[in-house]
mmCIF file with all atom_site columns, all heavy atoms in Angstrom:
data_model
loop_
_atom_site.group_PDB
_atom_site.id
_atom_site.type_symbol
_atom_site.label_atom_id
_atom_site.label_alt_id
_atom_site.label_comp_id
_atom_site.label_asym_id
_atom_site.label_entity_id
_atom_site.label_seq_id
_atom_site.pdbx_PDB_ins_code
_atom_site.Cartn_x
_atom_site.Cartn_y
_atom_site.Cartn_z
_atom_site.occupancy
_atom_site.B_iso_or_equiv
_atom_site.pdbx_formal_charge
_atom_site.auth_seq_id
_atom_site.auth_comp_id
_atom_site.auth_asym_id
_atom_site.auth_atom_id
_atom_site.pdbx_PDB_model_num
ATOM 1   N N   . ASN I 1 1  ? 4.056  6.465   9.306   1.00 0.00 ? 1  ASN I N   1
ATOM 2   C CA  . ASN I 1 1  ? 3.746  6.108   7.931   1.00 0.00 ? 1  ASN I CA  1
ATOM 3   C C   . ASN I 1 1  ? 4.618  4.966   7.406   1.00 0.00 ? 1  ASN I C   1
ATOM 4   O O   . ASN I 1 1  ? 4.373  4.432   6.309   1.00 0.00 ? 1  ASN I O   1
ATOM 5   C CB  . ASN I 1 1  ? 3.901  7.322   7.006   1.00 0.00 ? 1  ASN I CB  1
ATOM 6   C CG  . ASN I 1 1  ? 2.739  8.277   7.115   1.00 0.00 ? 1  ASN I CG  1
ATOM 7   O OD1 . ASN I 1 1  ? 1.700  7.977   7.706   1.00 0.00 ? 1  ASN I OD1 1
ATOM 8   N ND2 . ASN I 1 1  ? 2.913  9.464   6.551   1.00 0.00 ? 1  ASN I ND2 1
ATOM 9   N N   . TRP I 1 2  ? 5.610  4.567   8.192   1.00 0.00 ? 2  TRP I N   1
ATOM 10  C CA  . TRP I 1 2  ? 6.498  3.494   7.796   1.00 0.00 ? 2  TRP I CA  1
ATOM 11  C C   . TRP I 1 2  ? 6.152  2.170   8.486   1.00 0.00 ? 2  TRP I C   1
ATOM 12  O O   . TRP I 1 2  ? 6.928  1.215   8.433   1.00 0.00 ? 2  TRP I O   1
ATOM 13  C CB  . TRP I 1 2  ? 7.950  3.873   8.046   1.00 0.00 ? 2  TRP I CB  1
ATOM 14  C CG  . TRP I 1 2  ? 8.410  4.930   7.106   1.00 0.00 ? 2  TRP I CG  1
ATOM 15  C CD1 . TRP I 1 2  ? 8.558  6.251   7.359   1.00 0.00 ? 2  TRP I CD1 1
ATOM 16  C CD2 . TRP I 1 2  ? 8.733  4.726   5.735   1.00 0.00 ? 2  TRP I CD2 1
ATOM 17  N NE1 . TRP I 1 2  ? 8.953  6.909   6.224   1.00 0.00 ? 2  TRP I NE1 1
ATOM 18  C CE2 . TRP I 1 2  ? 9.087  5.981   5.210   1.00 0.00 ? 2  TRP I CE2 1
ATOM 19  C CE3 . TRP I 1 2  ? 8.772  3.606   4.900   1.00 0.00 ? 2  TRP I CE3 1
ATOM 20  C CZ2 . TRP I 1 2  ? 9.455  6.163   3.878   1.00 0.00 ? 2  TRP I CZ2 1
ATOM 21  C CZ3 . TRP I 1 2  ? 9.138  3.762   3.569   1.00 0.00 ? 2  TRP I CZ3 1
ATOM 22  C CH2 . TRP I 1 2  ? 9.483  5.039   3.078   1.00 0.00 ? 2  TRP I CH2 1
ATOM 23  N N   . ILE I 1 3  ? 4.969  2.123   9.066   1.00 0.00 ? 3  ILE I N   1
ATOM 24  C CA  . ILE I 1 3  ? 4.500  0.860   9.639   1.00 0.00 ? 3  ILE I CA  1
ATOM 25  C C   . ILE I 1 3  ? 3.764  0.107   8.541   1.00 0.00 ? 3  ILE I C   1
ATOM 26  O O   . ILE I 1 3  ? 2.667  0.485   8.118   1.00 0.00 ? 3  ILE I O   1
ATOM 27  C CB  . ILE I 1 3  ? 3.578  1.101   10.845  1.00 0.00 ? 3  ILE I CB  1
ATOM 28  C CG1 . ILE I 1 3  ? 4.356  1.845   11.942  1.00 0.00 ? 3  ILE I CG1 1
ATOM 29  C CG2 . ILE I 1 3  ? 3.008  -0.208  11.363  1.00 0.00 ? 3  ILE I CG2 1
ATOM 30  C CD1 . ILE I 1 3  ? 3.517  2.248   13.130  1.00 0.00 ? 3  ILE I CD1 1
ATOM 31  N N   . PHE I 1 4  ? 4.381  -0.935  8.030   1.00 0.00 ? 4  PHE I N   1
ATOM 32  C CA  . PHE I 1 4  ? 3.862  -1.668  6.873   1.00 0.00 ? 4  PHE I CA  1
ATOM 33  C C   . PHE I 1 4  ? 3.124  -2.956  7.275   1.00 0.00 ? 4  PHE I C   1
ATOM 34  O O   . PHE I 1 4  ? 2.643  -3.659  6.401   1.00 0.00 ? 4  PHE I O   1
ATOM 35  C CB  . PHE I 1 4  ? 5.029  -2.068  5.957   1.00 0.00 ? 4  PHE I CB  1
ATOM 36  C CG  . PHE I 1 4  ? 5.506  -0.975  5.046   1.00 0.00 ? 4  PHE I CG  1
ATOM 37  C CD1 . PHE I 1 4  ? 5.617  0.347   5.457   1.00 0.00 ? 4  PHE I CD1 1
ATOM 38  C CD2 . PHE I 1 4  ? 5.866  -1.257  3.738   1.00 0.00 ? 4  PHE I CD2 1
ATOM 39  C CE1 . PHE I 1 4  ? 6.064  1.356   4.620   1.00 0.00 ? 4  PHE I CE1 1
ATOM 40  C CE2 . PHE I 1 4  ? 6.307  -0.269  2.871   1.00 0.00 ? 4  PHE I CE2 1
ATOM 41  C CZ  . PHE I 1 4  ? 6.404  1.041   3.309   1.00 0.00 ? 4  PHE I CZ  1
ATOM 42  N N   . SER I 1 5  ? 3.061  -3.265  8.567   1.00 0.00 ? 5  SER I N   1
ATOM 43  C CA  . SER I 1 5  ? 2.478  -4.543  8.984   1.00 0.00 ? 5  SER I CA  1
ATOM 44  C C   . SER I 1 5  ? 1.234  -4.334  9.824   1.00 0.00 ? 5  SER I C   1
ATOM 45  O O   . SER I 1 5  ? 0.941  -3.230  10.292  1.00 0.00 ? 5  SER I O   1
ATOM 46  C CB  . SER I 1 5  ? 3.507  -5.346  9.772   1.00 0.00 ? 5  SER I CB  1
ATOM 47  O OG  . SER I 1 5  ? 3.941  -4.625  10.911  1.00 0.00 ? 5  SER I OG  1
ATOM 48  N N   . ASN I 1 6  ? 0.507  -5.433  10.003  1.00 0.00 ? 6  ASN I N   1
ATOM 49  C CA  . ASN I 1 6  ? -0.753 -5.394  10.752  1.00 0.00 ? 6  ASN I CA  1
ATOM 50  C C   . ASN I 1 6  ? -0.635 -6.251  12.018  1.00 0.00 ? 6  ASN I C   1
ATOM 51  O O   . ASN I 1 6  ? 0.357  -6.946  12.244  1.00 0.00 ? 6  ASN I O   1
ATOM 52  C CB  . ASN I 1 6  ? -1.869 -5.938  9.842   1.00 0.00 ? 6  ASN I CB  1
ATOM 53  C CG  . ASN I 1 6  ? -1.965 -5.161  8.550   1.00 0.00 ? 6  ASN I CG  1
ATOM 54  O OD1 . ASN I 1 6  ? -2.252 -3.980  8.536   1.00 0.00 ? 6  ASN I OD1 1
ATOM 55  N ND2 . ASN I 1 6  ? -1.690 -5.838  7.440   1.00 0.00 ? 6  ASN I ND2 1
ATOM 56  N N   . ASP I 1 7  ? -1.681 -6.178  12.866  1.00 0.00 ? 7  ASP I N   1
ATOM 57  C CA  . ASP I 1 7  ? -1.639 -6.896  14.141  1.00 0.00 ? 7  ASP I CA  1
ATOM 58  C C   . ASP I 1 7  ? -1.456 -8.384  13.958  1.00 0.00 ? 7  ASP I C   1
ATOM 59  O O   . ASP I 1 7  ? -0.876 -9.053  14.818  1.00 0.00 ? 7  ASP I O   1
ATOM 60  C CB  . ASP I 1 7  ? -2.933 -6.616  14.929  1.00 0.00 ? 7  ASP I CB  1
ATOM 61  C CG  . ASP I 1 7  ? -3.027 -5.180  15.406  1.00 0.00 ? 7  ASP I CG  1
ATOM 62  O OD1 . ASP I 1 7  ? -1.986 -4.504  15.452  1.00 0.00 ? 7  ASP I OD1 1
ATOM 63  O OD2 . ASP I 1 7  ? -4.161 -4.750  15.720  1.00 0.00 ? 7  ASP I OD2 1
ATOM 64  N N   . ASP I 1 8  ? -1.941 -8.945  12.845  1.00 0.00 ? 8  ASP I N   1
ATOM 65  C CA  . ASP I 1 8  ? -1.782 -10.380 12.633  1.00 0.00 ? 8  ASP I CA  1
ATOM 66  C C   . ASP I 1 8  ? -0.459 -10.765 12.009  1.00 0.00 ? 8  ASP I C   1
ATOM 67  O O   . ASP I 1 8  ? -0.201 -11.920 11.693  1.00 0.00 ? 8  ASP I O   1
ATOM 68  C CB  . ASP I 1 8  ? -2.940 -10.904 11.749  1.00 0.00 ? 8  ASP I CB  1
ATOM 69  C CG  . ASP I 1 8  ? -2.936 -10.267 10.356  1.00 0.00 ? 8  ASP I CG  1
ATOM 70  O OD1 . ASP I 1 8  ? -2.082 -9.411  10.075  1.00 0.00 ? 8  ASP I OD1 1
ATOM 71  O OD2 . ASP I 1 8  ? -3.812 -10.671 9.543   1.00 0.00 ? 8  ASP I OD2 1
ATOM 72  N N   . GLY I 1 9  ? 0.441  -9.771  11.812  1.00 0.00 ? 9  GLY I N   1
ATOM 73  C CA  . GLY I 1 9  ? 1.761  -10.041 11.254  1.00 0.00 ? 9  GLY I CA  1
ATOM 74  C C   . GLY I 1 9  ? 1.820  -9.980  9.747   1.00 0.00 ? 9  GLY I C   1
ATOM 75  O O   . GLY I 1 9  ? 2.906  -10.123 9.186   1.00 0.00 ? 9  GLY I O   1
ATOM 76  N N   . SER I 1 10 ? 0.696  -9.747  9.086   1.00 0.00 ? 10 SER I N   1
ATOM 77  C CA  . SER I 1 10 ? 0.718  -9.640  7.627   1.00 0.00 ? 10 SER I CA  1
ATOM 78  C C   . SER I 1 10 ? 1.311  -8.310  7.203   1.00 0.00 ? 10 SER I C   1
ATOM 79  O O   . SER I 1 10 ? 1.250  -7.316  7.946   1.00 0.00 ? 10 SER I O   1
ATOM 80  C CB  . SER I 1 10 ? -0.695 -9.792  7.080   1.00 0.00 ? 10 SER I CB  1
ATOM 81  O OG  . SER I 1 10 ? -1.536 -8.732  7.529   1.00 0.00 ? 10 SER I OG  1
ATOM 82  N N   . VAL I 1 11 ? 1.900  -8.285  6.014   1.00 0.00 ? 11 VAL I N   1
ATOM 83  C CA  . VAL I 1 11 ? 2.486  -7.065  5.460   1.00 0.00 ? 11 VAL I CA  1
ATOM 84  C C   . VAL I 1 11 ? 1.549  -6.499  4.409   1.00 0.00 ? 11 VAL I C   1
ATOM 85  O O   . VAL I 1 11 ? 0.913  -7.228  3.635   1.00 0.00 ? 11 VAL I O   1
ATOM 86  C CB  . VAL I 1 11 ? 3.861  -7.397  4.828   1.00 0.00 ? 11 VAL I CB  1
ATOM 87  C CG1 . VAL I 1 11 ? 4.432  -6.166  4.112   1.00 0.00 ? 11 VAL I CG1 1
ATOM 88  C CG2 . VAL I 1 11 ? 4.820  -7.875  5.894   1.00 0.00 ? 11 VAL I CG2 1
ATOM 89  N N   . ASN I 1 12 ? 1.438  -5.174  4.387   1.00 0.00 ? 12 ASN I N   1
ATOM 90  C CA  . ASN I 1 12 ? 0.610  -4.517  3.386   1.00 0.00 ? 12 ASN I CA  1
ATOM 91  C C   . ASN I 1 12 ? 1.270  -4.615  2.005   1.00 0.00 ? 12 ASN I C   1
ATOM 92  O O   . ASN I 1 12 ? 2.323  -4.030  1.775   1.00 0.00 ? 12 ASN I O   1
ATOM 93  C CB  . ASN I 1 12 ? 0.428  -3.028  3.741   1.00 0.00 ? 12 ASN I CB  1
ATOM 94  C CG  . ASN I 1 12 ? -0.321 -2.822  5.040   1.00 0.00 ? 12 ASN I CG  1
ATOM 95  O OD1 . ASN I 1 12 ? -1.202 -3.606  5.375   1.00 0.00 ? 12 ASN I OD1 1
ATOM 96  N ND2 . ASN I 1 12 ? 0.038  -1.781  5.763   1.00 0.00 ? 12 ASN I ND2 1
ATOM 97  N N   . VAL I 1 13 ? 0.654  -5.377  1.122   1.00 0.00 ? 13 VAL I N   1
ATOM 98  C CA  . VAL I 1 13 ? 1.158  -5.602  -0.234  1.00 0.00 ? 13 VAL I CA  1
ATOM 99  C C   . VAL I 1 13 ? 0.030  -5.397  -1.216  1.00 0.00 ? 13 VAL I C   1
ATOM 100 O O   . VAL I 1 13 ? -1.096 -5.870  -0.992  1.00 0.00 ? 13 VAL I O   1
ATOM 101 C CB  . VAL I 1 13 ? 1.736  -7.023  -0.386  1.00 0.00 ? 13 VAL I CB  1
ATOM 102 C CG1 . VAL I 1 13 ? 2.245  -7.235  -1.802  1.00 0.00 ? 13 VAL I CG1 1
ATOM 103 C CG2 . VAL I 1 13 ? 2.839  -7.287  0.620   1.00 0.00 ? 13 VAL I CG2 1
ATOM 104 N N   . THR I 1 14 ? 0.262  -4.666  -2.296  1.00 0.00 ? 14 THR I N   1
ATOM 105 C CA  . THR I 1 14 ? -0.759 -4.489  -3.308  1.00 0.00 ? 14 THR I CA  1
ATOM 106 C C   . THR I 1 14 ? -0.943 -5.810  -4.041  1.00 0.00 ? 14 THR I C   1
ATOM 107 O O   . THR I 1 14 ? -0.005 -6.405  -4.528  1.00 0.00 ? 14 THR I O   1
ATOM 108 C CB  . THR I 1 14 ? -0.364 -3.401  -4.312  1.00 0.00 ? 14 THR I CB  1
ATOM 109 O OG1 . THR I 1 14 ? 0.915  -3.690  -4.853  1.00 0.00 ? 14 THR I OG1 1
ATOM 110 C CG2 . THR I 1 14 ? -0.323 -2.043  -3.644  1.00 0.00 ? 14 THR I CG2 1
ATOM 111 N N   . THR I 1 15 ? -2.196 -6.250  -4.125  1.00 0.00 ? 15 THR I N   1
ATOM 112 C CA  . THR I 1 15 ? -2.484 -7.559  -4.717  1.00 0.00 ? 15 THR I CA  1
ATOM 113 C C   . THR I 1 15 ? -3.343 -7.480  -5.976  1.00 0.00 ? 15 THR I C   1
ATOM 114 O O   . THR I 1 15 ? -3.620 -8.499  -6.607  1.00 0.00 ? 15 THR I O   1
ATOM 115 C CB  . THR I 1 15 ? -3.175 -8.477  -3.702  1.00 0.00 ? 15 THR I CB  1
ATOM 116 O OG1 . THR I 1 15 ? -4.388 -7.834  -3.231  1.00 0.00 ? 15 THR I OG1 1
ATOM 117 C CG2 . THR I 1 15 ? -2.256 -8.753  -2.524  1.00 0.00 ? 15 THR I CG2 1
ATOM 118 N N   . THR I 1 16 ? -3.777 -6.283  -6.349  1.00 0.00 ? 16 THR I N   1
ATOM 119 C CA  . THR I 1 16 ? -4.553 -6.110  -7.575  1.00 0.00 ? 16 THR I CA  1
ATOM 120 C C   . THR I 1 16 ? -3.887 -5.040  -8.431  1.00 0.00 ? 16 THR I C   1
ATOM 121 O O   . THR I 1 16 ? -3.088 -4.220  -7.936  1.00 0.00 ? 16 THR I O   1
ATOM 122 C CB  . THR I 1 16 ? -5.986 -5.668  -7.272  1.00 0.00 ? 16 THR I CB  1
ATOM 123 O OG1 . THR I 1 16 ? -5.972 -4.335  -6.735  1.00 0.00 ? 16 THR I OG1 1
ATOM 124 C CG2 . THR I 1 16 ? -6.681 -6.616  -6.298  1.00 0.00 ? 16 THR I CG2 1
ATOM 125 N N   . LEU I 1 17 ? -4.215 -5.053  -9.714  1.00 0.00 ? 17 LEU I N   1
ATOM 126 C CA  . LEU I 1 17 ? -3.633 -4.057  -10.619 1.00 0.00 ? 17 LEU I CA  1
ATOM 127 C C   . LEU I 1 17 ? -4.080 -2.655  -10.237 1.00 0.00 ? 17 LEU I C   1
ATOM 128 O O   . LEU I 1 17 ? -3.315 -1.697  -10.269 1.00 0.00 ? 17 LEU I O   1
ATOM 129 C CB  . LEU I 1 17 ? -4.033 -4.376  -12.065 1.00 0.00 ? 17 LEU I CB  1
ATOM 130 C CG  . LEU I 1 17 ? -3.389 -3.513  -13.150 1.00 0.00 ? 17 LEU I CG  1
ATOM 131 C CD1 . LEU I 1 17 ? -1.866 -3.620  -13.116 1.00 0.00 ? 17 LEU I CD1 1
ATOM 132 C CD2 . LEU I 1 17 ? -3.906 -3.905  -14.518 1.00 0.00 ? 17 LEU I CD2 1
ATOM 133 N N   . GLU I 1 18 ? -5.339 -2.535  -9.841  1.00 0.00 ? 18 GLU I N   1
ATOM 134 C CA  . GLU I 1 18 ? -5.861 -1.229  -9.434  1.00 0.00 ? 18 GLU I CA  1
ATOM 135 C C   . GLU I 1 18 ? -5.120 -0.694  -8.222  1.00 0.00 ? 18 GLU I C   1
ATOM 136 O O   . GLU I 1 18 ? -4.788 0.493   -8.141  1.00 0.00 ? 18 GLU I O   1
ATOM 137 C CB  . GLU I 1 18 ? -7.370 -1.323  -9.142  1.00 0.00 ? 18 GLU I CB  1
ATOM 138 C CG  . GLU I 1 18 ? -8.248 -1.566  -10.357 1.00 0.00 ? 18 GLU I CG  1
ATOM 139 C CD  . GLU I 1 18 ? -8.217 -3.013  -10.847 1.00 0.00 ? 18 GLU I CD  1
ATOM 140 O OE1 . GLU I 1 18 ? -7.676 -3.900  -10.136 1.00 0.00 ? 18 GLU I OE1 1
ATOM 141 O OE2 . GLU I 1 18 ? -8.748 -3.277  -11.939 1.00 0.00 ? 18 GLU I OE2 1
ATOM 142 N N   . ALA I 1 19 ? -4.857 -1.561  -7.253  1.00 0.00 ? 19 ALA I N   1
ATOM 143 C CA  . ALA I 1 19 ? -4.130 -1.138  -6.058  1.00 0.00 ? 19 ALA I CA  1
ATOM 144 C C   . ALA I 1 19 ? -2.706 -0.751  -6.399  1.00 0.00 ? 19 ALA I C   1
ATOM 145 O O   . ALA I 1 19 ? -2.157 0.229   -5.873  1.00 0.00 ? 19 ALA I O   1
ATOM 146 C CB  . ALA I 1 19 ? -4.142 -2.250  -5.030  1.00 0.00 ? 19 ALA I CB  1
ATOM 147 N N   . CYS I 1 20 ? -2.118 -1.510  -7.305  1.00 0.00 ? 20 CYS I N   1
ATOM 148 C CA  . CYS I 1 20 ? -0.740 -1.211  -7.705  1.00 0.00 ? 20 CYS I CA  1
ATOM 149 C C   . CYS I 1 20 ? -0.653 0.153   -8.357  1.00 0.00 ? 20 CYS I C   1
ATOM 150 O O   . CYS I 1 20 ? 0.248  0.939   -8.078  1.00 0.00 ? 20 CYS I O   1
ATOM 151 C CB  . CYS I 1 20 ? -0.271 -2.301  -8.679  1.00 0.00 ? 20 CYS I CB  1
ATOM 152 S SG  . CYS I 1 20 ? 1.407  -2.113  -9.244  1.00 0.00 ? 20 CYS I SG  1
ATOM 153 N N   . VAL I 1 21 ? -1.629 0.466   -9.218  1.00 0.00 ? 21 VAL I N   1
ATOM 154 C CA  . VAL I 1 21 ? -1.647 1.756   -9.878  1.00 0.00 ? 21 VAL I CA  1
ATOM 155 C C   . VAL I 1 21 ? -1.859 2.878   -8.872  1.00 0.00 ? 21 VAL I C   1
ATOM 156 O O   . VAL I 1 21 ? -1.163 3.890   -8.889  1.00 0.00 ? 21 VAL I O   1
ATOM 157 C CB  . VAL I 1 21 ? -2.733 1.793   -10.975 1.00 0.00 ? 21 VAL I CB  1
ATOM 158 C CG1 . VAL I 1 21 ? -2.925 3.205   -11.507 1.00 0.00 ? 21 VAL I CG1 1
ATOM 159 C CG2 . VAL I 1 21 ? -2.406 0.840   -12.110 1.00 0.00 ? 21 VAL I CG2 1
ATOM 160 N N   . ALA I 1 22 ? -2.792 2.700   -7.979  1.00 0.00 ? 22 ALA I N   1
ATOM 161 C CA  . ALA I 1 22 ? -3.110 3.742   -6.998  1.00 0.00 ? 22 ALA I CA  1
ATOM 162 C C   . ALA I 1 22 ? -1.946 3.974   -6.048  1.00 0.00 ? 22 ALA I C   1
ATOM 163 O O   . ALA I 1 22 ? -1.714 5.109   -5.598  1.00 0.00 ? 22 ALA I O   1
ATOM 164 C CB  . ALA I 1 22 ? -4.363 3.355   -6.209  1.00 0.00 ? 22 ALA I CB  1
ATOM 165 N N   . ALA I 1 23 ? -1.184 2.931   -5.750  1.00 0.00 ? 23 ALA I N   1
ATOM 166 C CA  . ALA I 1 23 ? -0.101 3.050   -4.791  1.00 0.00 ? 23 ALA I CA  1
ATOM 167 C C   . ALA I 1 23 ? 1.158  3.644   -5.408  1.00 0.00 ? 23 ALA I C   1
ATOM 168 O O   . ALA I 1 23 ? 2.015  4.129   -4.682  1.00 0.00 ? 23 ALA I O   1
ATOM 169 C CB  . ALA I 1 23 ? 0.231  1.692   -4.186  1.00 0.00 ? 23 ALA I CB  1
ATOM 170 N N   . ALA I 1 24 ? 1.282  3.612   -6.717  1.00 0.00 ? 24 ALA I N   1
ATOM 171 C CA  . ALA I 1 24 ? 2.554  4.000   -7.310  1.00 0.00 ? 24 ALA I CA  1
ATOM 172 C C   . ALA I 1 24 ? 2.442  5.122   -8.319  1.00 0.00 ? 24 ALA I C   1
ATOM 173 O O   . ALA I 1 24 ? 3.392  5.420   -9.035  1.00 0.00 ? 24 ALA I O   1
ATOM 174 C CB  . ALA I 1 24 ? 3.202  2.785   -7.961  1.00 0.00 ? 24 ALA I CB  1
ATOM 175 N N   . ARG I 1 25 ? 1.288  5.767   -8.383  1.00 0.00 ? 25 ARG I N   1
ATOM 176 C CA  . ARG I 1 25 ? 1.167  6.937   -9.257  1.00 0.00 ? 25 ARG I CA  1
ATOM 177 C C   . ARG I 1 25 ? 1.875  8.121   -8.595  1.00 0.00 ? 25 ARG I C   1
ATOM 178 O O   . ARG I 1 25 ? 2.173  8.072   -7.394  1.00 0.00 ? 25 ARG I O   1
ATOM 179 C CB  . ARG I 1 25 ? -0.299 7.234   -9.515  1.00 0.00 ? 25 ARG I CB  1
ATOM 180 C CG  . ARG I 1 25 ? -1.056 7.734   -8.313  1.00 0.00 ? 25 ARG I CG  1
ATOM 181 C CD  . ARG I 1 25 ? -2.550 7.736   -8.509  1.00 0.00 ? 25 ARG I CD  1
ATOM 182 N NE  . ARG I 1 25 ? -3.219 8.411   -7.403  1.00 0.00 ? 25 ARG I NE  1
ATOM 183 C CZ  . ARG I 1 25 ? -4.519 8.260   -7.119  1.00 0.00 ? 25 ARG I CZ  1
ATOM 184 N NH1 . ARG I 1 25 ? -5.260 7.461   -7.851  1.00 0.00 ? 25 ARG I NH1 1
ATOM 185 N NH2 . ARG I 1 25 ? -5.042 8.909   -6.107  1.00 0.00 ? 25 ARG I NH2 1
ATOM 186 N N   . PRO I 1 26 ? 2.156  9.211   -9.346  1.00 0.00 ? 26 PRO I N   1
ATOM 187 C CA  . PRO I 1 26 ? 2.853  10.354  -8.747  1.00 0.00 ? 26 PRO I CA  1
ATOM 188 C C   . PRO I 1 26 ? 2.144  10.926  -7.527  1.00 0.00 ? 26 PRO I C   1
ATOM 189 O O   . PRO I 1 26 ? 2.777  11.254  -6.525  1.00 0.00 ? 26 PRO I O   1
ATOM 190 C CB  . PRO I 1 26 ? 2.894  11.364  -9.886  1.00 0.00 ? 26 PRO I CB  1
ATOM 191 C CG  . PRO I 1 26 ? 2.856  10.527  -11.119 1.00 0.00 ? 26 PRO I CG  1
ATOM 192 C CD  . PRO I 1 26 ? 1.943  9.382   -10.791 1.00 0.00 ? 26 PRO I CD  1
ATOM 193 N N   . ASP I 1 27 ? 0.813  11.024  -7.588  1.00 0.00 ? 27 ASP I N   1
ATOM 194 C CA  . ASP I 1 27 ? 0.061  11.510  -6.413  1.00 0.00 ? 27 ASP I CA  1
ATOM 195 C C   . ASP I 1 27 ? -0.516 10.274  -5.714  1.00 0.00 ? 27 ASP I C   1
ATOM 196 O O   . ASP I 1 27 ? -1.679 9.948   -5.830  1.00 0.00 ? 27 ASP I O   1
ATOM 197 C CB  . ASP I 1 27 ? -1.042 12.475  -6.839  1.00 0.00 ? 27 ASP I CB  1
ATOM 198 C CG  . ASP I 1 27 ? -1.986 11.895  -7.882  1.00 0.00 ? 27 ASP I CG  1
ATOM 199 O OD1 . ASP I 1 27 ? -1.545 10.997  -8.657  1.00 0.00 ? 27 ASP I OD1 1
ATOM 200 O OD2 . ASP I 1 27 ? -3.159 12.322  -7.953  1.00 0.00 ? 27 ASP I OD2 1
ATOM 201 N N   . VAL I 1 28 ? 0.341  9.588   -4.968  1.00 0.00 ? 28 VAL I N   1
ATOM 202 C CA  . VAL I 1 28 ? -0.041 8.313   -4.353  1.00 0.00 ? 28 VAL I CA  1
ATOM 203 C C   . VAL I 1 28 ? -1.261 8.471   -3.474  1.00 0.00 ? 28 VAL I C   1
ATOM 204 O O   . VAL I 1 28 ? -1.355 9.395   -2.668  1.00 0.00 ? 28 VAL I O   1
ATOM 205 C CB  . VAL I 1 28 ? 1.149  7.775   -3.529  1.00 0.00 ? 28 VAL I CB  1
ATOM 206 C CG1 . VAL I 1 28 ? 0.743  6.518   -2.779  1.00 0.00 ? 28 VAL I CG1 1
ATOM 207 C CG2 . VAL I 1 28 ? 2.337  7.487   -4.441  1.00 0.00 ? 28 VAL I CG2 1
ATOM 208 N N   . ASP I 1 29 ? -2.204 7.576   -3.646  1.00 0.00 ? 29 ASP I N   1
ATOM 209 C CA  . ASP I 1 29 ? -3.376 7.531   -2.796  1.00 0.00 ? 29 ASP I CA  1
ATOM 210 C C   . ASP I 1 29 ? -2.918 7.307   -1.365  1.00 0.00 ? 29 ASP I C   1
ATOM 211 O O   . ASP I 1 29 ? -2.260 6.300   -1.061  1.00 0.00 ? 29 ASP I O   1
ATOM 212 C CB  . ASP I 1 29 ? -4.287 6.389   -3.247  1.00 0.00 ? 29 ASP I CB  1
ATOM 213 C CG  . ASP I 1 29 ? -5.613 6.366   -2.509  1.00 0.00 ? 29 ASP I CG  1
ATOM 214 O OD1 . ASP I 1 29 ? -5.696 6.884   -1.385  1.00 0.00 ? 29 ASP I OD1 1
ATOM 215 O OD2 . ASP I 1 29 ? -6.592 5.807   -3.065  1.00 0.00 ? 29 ASP I OD2 1
ATOM 216 N N   . PRO I 1 30 ? -3.233 8.207   -0.426  1.00 0.00 ? 30 PRO I N   1
ATOM 217 C CA  . PRO I 1 30 ? -2.789 8.044   0.977   1.00 0.00 ? 30 PRO I CA  1
ATOM 218 C C   . PRO I 1 30 ? -3.205 6.715   1.586   1.00 0.00 ? 30 PRO I C   1
ATOM 219 O O   . PRO I 1 30 ? -2.594 6.275   2.554   1.00 0.00 ? 30 PRO I O   1
ATOM 220 C CB  . PRO I 1 30 ? -3.439 9.229   1.691   1.00 0.00 ? 30 PRO I CB  1
ATOM 221 C CG  . PRO I 1 30 ? -3.597 10.259  0.619   1.00 0.00 ? 30 PRO I CG  1
ATOM 222 C CD  . PRO I 1 30 ? -3.942 9.483   -0.637  1.00 0.00 ? 30 PRO I CD  1
#
């Protein structure tokens, strides 16, 4: 679960407000 990168070398980063909310709420979206 601590693998934050992809095969192309990009890092998983939230880029929209909706993604930011879903990633950082108390019950984080898996």
Side-chain angles (χ1 to χ4, degrees):
N1 283 348
W2 289 102
I3 299 175
F4 279 40
S5 59
N6 304 297
D7 292 341
D8 63 358
S10 63
V11 174
N12 297 326
V13 180
T14 54
T15 57
T16 67
L17 186 60
E18 291 77 10
C20 181
V21 171
R25 69 192 188 199
D27 55 334
V28 174
D29 186 335

